[in-house]
Amino acid sequence: MKFIHKDFLLGTKTARRLFHNHAEALPVFDYHCHLAPQDVAANRQFRNLYEIWLEGDHYKWRAMRTNGVPERFCTGNASPLEKFKAWAGTVPQTLRNPLYHWTHLELKRYFGINELLSEKTAAKIWAEANAQLATSALSTHGILRKFKVKVVCTTDDPTDPLEHHRAFAKSGHPTRMLPAFRPDKALMVDAPAAFNAWVERLADAANVDVNGFSAFISALERRHDYFHAHGCRLSDHGLSHCYADFCPEKTAAAIFDKVRRGEAATPAEHAQFAAHMMWFFGRLDAAKGWTKQLHLGALRNNNSRLLKQLGPDTGFDSIGDFPQAQALAAYLNRLDLENALPKTVLYNLNPADNHVFAAMIGNFQDGSVPGKIQYGSGWWFLDQKDGMEQQLNVLSHLGLLARFIGMITDSRSFMSYPRHEYFRRILCNLIGRDVECGLLPDDEKLIGPLIRNICYFNAERYLNFPGLTRTMGKPPAAK
Ligand SMILES: [Zn+2]
C-alpha cells in the first residue's frame, strides 16, 4: 500500500464508500482564513515553491528550528532555494507531526508529485513544482478553481478599504471572496501608542473626527456598515479569554480619554473597556444578522528575544491555560438577555477546554437557527487528526454533530485547500467505523446527508451569505 493513496485515512469499507460517494467531490466553503486579498485580486502567480509554501508559514519554521535549522534558513536572508532545501531536509524528521501528512498531500494535490520530500528529492521537486507554478492553472485564480472553492472569507481590520474584495468581485471568477470584520485593535487600551495610531487610521477610514468615545463608537459603526455593504456577514475576535467586567458607558469613555492622552489603561481598566467593546460588537453583529467567531485561548509572543528580532506571528505562540467558562458564559448571557446574541462560533485552543466549550453552546441555543451557537472545528495546535477527532467526538456527545458547520483552512497559504479533504477523510473514517461497529445504522440515506451537510451544506445554510446561489441537491459526481 502506497502512502497518501486513494483511501488514505479511510480504515473501513463504509468509510471509503462515505468519502467517495458523499464528501470527495463537494466544493469548499472556507469561511475563515488569512489569505491576502490582494493576492486573490491580482491573480498572483508564485515564482517558486518557496513563495507559495514556505513564506510566512510559522508551522514549518517551528519544525525547522526544532530540527536544529538556523534562523537564517527560516525567516532570515538565505535564498529561497536554500530555505526550501532546509525545509526538505527537515521533512523526514516530521513523521507523525501533521506537517508530514499535509506536506505530501499538498505536493500530490497541487503538482501530482508522489515522491517523499527529503534532501535527496529536493532539487527534483523544486524544479517540477516551479515549472507548474508558472502555469495559469496554479495562479491564485487557478487554485481557487481547481479546488472548487465556492466561498473564501478573509480576515480584515475594520480600517481596511476592501478594494481587493471589490476588484475580485468584478473579475467574474466563480469564487466569492468576502471580508470578515476583526476589530481586535479596538480593545488594545493597554498599549496606548499602538491604540492611538489605530484610532487615527479608523478616523480616516470612517471619515469621522474621533474626538471622544461616542465618536469612536460611531466610526466603528460606520465601518461595520461599510463591511456589510461589501457582503460581510462574519466577525472574528482573537482573545486569550472573554471579558465580562461590564461597566457603564461613562467608565469606558473615561478609559478611552485617558488612553487618548497617551496613558496606558491599568489591567482592570483594560478588562472593563474590552468587556464594554465586546458587548457593543455583539450587539452590532446581532442587529445585522452576522455570525461572530471567538478564537479563545492563545498565549502569544512567549519568546521576547525573538519577538523583538522577528515580530509577531513568527512561531512563538502556544496554548494558554486561561480560565474560560465563567466569563464566556457571562458574555453570551449578557447579549442573550438583551435579545442581542448573534449566531456564534466558539473555537478553543486548549484541548482541556473541549468539553467546556461543547457544553457551553447548549446554554444559548434558542431554536431560532439550527446550531445557532457552534463549537468550531479544531483550531491551530488542534488542527490535526487527533484534535479533529476529539472535537468531532466531544461535539457528538454533548451537542448535535449533524448541525456542525465544518472545517476551515484558517491558513495564510494558498497551498492549504487539501485541509478540507483531510478533515473529510477523518470525518468519514470516524463515522464509517461507528457504522461497522453497529454504533450507527448501516443506512446510507441517513448517514450520507450527515456527511454532506457537515462537509459543505450546513455552512452554506447557516452563514446565509447574500447573493450566493445555494448549492442544492446531490453533490456533483466524484472524479
Ligand atoms: Zn484565524
Side-chain angles (χ1 to χ4, degrees):
M1 190 183 273
K2 277 196 301 180
F3 183 51
I4 319 260
H5 48 82
K6 178 166 130 309
D7 296 324
F8 176 54
L9 295 170
L10 302 169
T12 62
K13 238 162 106 180
T14 307
R16 297 192 274 276
R17 201 177 67 229
L18 290 175
F19 178 73
H20 296 301
N21 289 351
H22 297 282
E24 190 175 18
L26 285 171
V28 163
F29 203 100
D30 203 33
Y31 57 90
H32 177 69
C33 79
H34 299 268
L35 292 178
Q38 61 267 34
D39 287 346
V40 176
N43 193 17
R44 180 174 175 189
Q45 196 88 51
F46 298 92
R47 279 178 298 184
N48 54 52
L49 199 44
Y50 166 78
E51 275 191 9
I52 193 171
W53 212 27
L54 271 70
E55 197 180 63
D57 188 341
H58 51 70
Y59 289 78
K60 291 190 178 73
W61 297 337
R62 277 171 81 99
M64 289 162 79
R65 290 173 190 136
T66 306
N67 196 40
V69 172
E71 197 58 38
R72 194 168 96 77
F73 298 97
C74 304
T75 59
N77 60 3
S79 73
L81 178 58
E82 286 173 322
K83 286 177 175 167
F84 176 72
K85 281 185 172 163
W87 165 239
T90 299
V91 168
Q93 306 299 325
T94 66
L95 286 165
R96 295 202 91 230
N97 183 285
L99 284 164
Y100 198 78
H101 281 171
W102 294 344
T103 293
H104 294 103
L105 197 57
E106 288 160 10
L107 286 175
K108 191 172 170 92
R109 294 290 175 253
Y110 283 73
F111 310 109
I113 291 171
N114 289 308
E115 269 168 293
L116 299 180
L117 181 57
S118 68
E119 220 160 351
K120 226 171 82 197
T121 58
K124 193 173 158 211
I125 288 175
W126 174 259
E128 172 61 33
N130 291 353
Q132 292 193 41
L133 282 171
T135 66
S136 60
L138 292 178
S139 68
T140 58
H141 288 196
I143 289 168
L144 292 171
R145 263 203 193 87
K146 185 178 171 68
F147 289 92
K148 292 185 284 191
V149 182
K150 177 125 183 207
V151 169
V152 52
C153 294
T154 58
T155 303
D156 308 277
D157 189 86
T159 63
D160 194 290
L162 306 180
E163 80 264 39
H164 304 299
H165 293 82
R166 274 200 305 279
F168 183 65
K170 285 193 201 132
S171 72
H173 193 283
T175 303
R176 194 82 188 280
M177 176 168 71
L178 296 169
F181 189 80
R182 174 130 167 187
D184 289 356
K185 295 197 168 79
L187 313 186
M188 287 187 324
V189 285
D190 52 336
F195 181 75
N196 285 323
W198 185 77
V199 171
E200 295 311 318
R201 287 206 299 283
L202 175 72
D204 280 350
N207 200 16
V208 168
D209 175 17
V210 180
N211 53 8
F213 186 66
S214 65
F216 178 60
I217 291 295
S218 311
L220 285 165
E221 278 168 348
R222 289 183 71 150
R223 295 312 293 168
H224 200 269
D225 291 343
Y226 184 86
F227 272 58
H228 192 83
H230 284 75
C232 177
R233 297 292 183 273
L234 203 57
S235 68
D236 182 31
H237 305 268
L239 306 172
S240 50
H241 50 80
C242 265
Y243 294 95
D245 297 332
F246 301 109
C247 64
E249 174 142 341
K250 64 176 196 313
T251 308
I255 297 167
F256 179 83
D257 291 340
K258 173 180 167 177
V259 179
R260 291 294 281 156
R261 290 193 302 268
E263 225 180 302
T266 65
E269 287 170 338
H270 179 220
Q272 284 183 309
F273 189 82
H276 191 79
M277 294 310 297
M278 287 302 292
W279 167 72
F280 161 72
F281 288 129
R283 290 165 55 101
L284 271 188
D285 288 353
K288 292 206 192 75
W290 288 21
T291 299
K292 179 175 283 311
Q293 299 172 97
L294 297 174
H295 284 92
L296 303 177
L299 186 68
R300 293 181 190 268
N301 303 326
N302 299 296
N303 186 325
S304 56
R305 180 175 61 82
L306 287 165
L307 174 69
K308 206 169 153 198
Q309 202 179 311
L310 307 174
D313 301 324
T314 49
F316 303 99
D317 305 329
S318 64
I319 295 173
D321 56 357
F322 307 99
Q324 298 287 354
Q326 213 166 17
L328 177 56
Y331 176 58
L332 299 174
N333 187 52
R334 170 86 197 253
L335 292 170
D336 184 79
L337 270 174
E338 297 177 24
N339 198 23
L341 179 61
K343 290 178 284 182
T344 302
V345 188
L346 306 178
Y347 305 88
N348 62 300
L349 195 53
N350 189 329
D353 293 326
N354 284 357
H355 288 81
V356 172
F357 277 48
M360 182 65 70
I361 64 172
N363 296 324
F364 298 98
Q365 308 291 5
D366 62 10
S368 61
V369 179
K372 175 176 174 177
I373 312 298
Q374 289 275 322
Y375 176 40
S377 61
W379 166 47
W380 199 346
F381 294 101
L382 308 185
D383 174 13
Q384 24 78 4
K385 183 170 181 286
D386 187 51
M388 286 183 206
E389 286 175 349
Q390 285 188 33
Q391 187 269 351
L392 291 166
N393 282 330
V394 173
L395 177 58
S396 299
H397 299 147
L398 302 185
L400 297 184
L401 178 68
R403 293 301 186 181
F404 175 40
I405 61 169
M407 181 63 181
I408 47 186
T409 61
D410 198 357
S411 178
R412 289 171 167 72
S413 160
F414 284 88
M415 289 272 287
S416 294
Y417 287 113
R419 302 277 176 91
H420 283 270
E421 175 189 339
Y422 196 68
F423 168 83
R424 290 172 185 184
R425 287 177 184 272
I426 286 164
L427 172 71
C428 291
N429 186 50
L430 213 61
I431 303 293
R433 198 175 56 201
D434 275 7
V435 169
E436 297 210 359
C437 292
L439 295 172
L440 288 172
D442 188 5
D443 177 354
E444 207 158 325
K445 285 204 178 72
L446 184 65
I447 305 292
L450 173 80
I451 301 290
R452 293 203 296 273
N453 285 335
I454 294 170
C455 292
Y456 181 85
F457 294 94
N458 282 349
E460 189 179 69
R461 272 192 291 262
Y462 175 87
L463 293 162
N464 194 24
F465 292 144
L468 201 70
T469 30
R470 285 271 172 90
T471 311
M472 289 301 202
K474 277 190 174 173
K479 287 171 274 184

